Amino acid sequence: GASPATRGLIGALIVQTTPWREAFASSLWLPSRIIIILALVVVGMRLGALQKLQVAQAARLESARHGSAWGERPMALLGKLTLFPVWVWLIGQLLPLEPVMRQALVLQGAAPAAISVLLMAEQAGKDADLAAQLILRSTVIALFSVPLWWWITQKTLFGTP
């Protein structure tokens, strides 16, 4: 079947076409915040568990699984945090969207790896430690890349100095 994200998107689109959209939005405000907080707690717990590993054991495991401390992940992170926002920006130029909507899409594309990556890895029982590391590293890099993307979109979409 469809992923939960796809089902949620379809449900949101259906709700947007009804006269009850404001009622739905206000009733889901608190539950959505609770879910976000719980997801962040799961990520924190996973990252805390990672810190308990001995450095030598973690380095040995990482080297065996991925060839080096970062393995192929630098290219994945580069693609996610730079190439994907470029792709979103180019697609946004083809669509009849307001500049602020294009900016929102580019900034969403430049966002770090989602917590759902860890939740799916946990559910599948595979590579949850690797997923947690990916989230952590992409979030740290995004602290610099997202403001850069904001600045780029301000200059290109709005022509601000």
Side-chain angles (χ1 to χ4, degrees):
S3 73
T6 304
R7 289 192 300 252
L9 180 60
I10 291 169
L13 291 173
I14 291 169
V15 169
Q16 285 295 320
T17 63
T18 70
W20 308 292
R21 67 177 176 235
E22 293 300 322
F24 275 108
S26 64
S27 67
L28 293 176
W29 185 88
L30 181 61
S32 67
R33 297 314 183 263
I34 292 170
I35 289 171
I36 290 170
I37 290 168
L38 291 175
L40 289 171
V41 167
V42 168
V43 170
M45 289 172 26
R46 175 52 69 178
L47 291 174
L50 284 176
Q51 290 178 344
K52 293 179 182 176
L53 292 176
Q54 295 180 1
V55 174
Q57 179 186 10
R60 199 170 35 250
L61 175 64
E62 191 70 20
S63 178
R65 288 175 62 196
H66 302 289
S68 71
W70 279 73
E72 296 177 5
R73 284 178 275 160
M75 293 308 293
L77 289 174
L78 175 70
K80 168 64 179 110
L81 299 174
T82 59
L83 300 177
F84 186 67
V86 168
W87 181 76
V88 171
W89 184 83
L90 292 172
I91 297 294
Q93 296 303 315
L94 299 174
L95 300 173
L97 300 172
E98 296 292 322
V100 72
M101 294 174 87
R102 287 187 190 134
Q103 183 182 40
L105 288 172
V106 170
L107 292 176
Q108 181 63 38
I115 293 171
S116 59
V117 171
L118 175 60
L119 299 177
M120 289 186 290
E122 288 278 348
Q123 180 66 28
K126 298 187 184 229
D127 292 326
D129 291 343
L130 184 60
Q133 290 175 6
L134 177 66
I135 292 168
L136 175 65
R137 289 177 179 154
S138 69
T139 300
V140 169
I141 294 168
L143 290 172
F144 303 98
S145 63
V146 170
L148 179 63
W149 279 111
W150 178 84
W151 180 79
I152 290 169
T153 57
Q154 282 293 108
K155 287 197 145 305
T156 60
L157 297 175
F158 301 104
T160 58

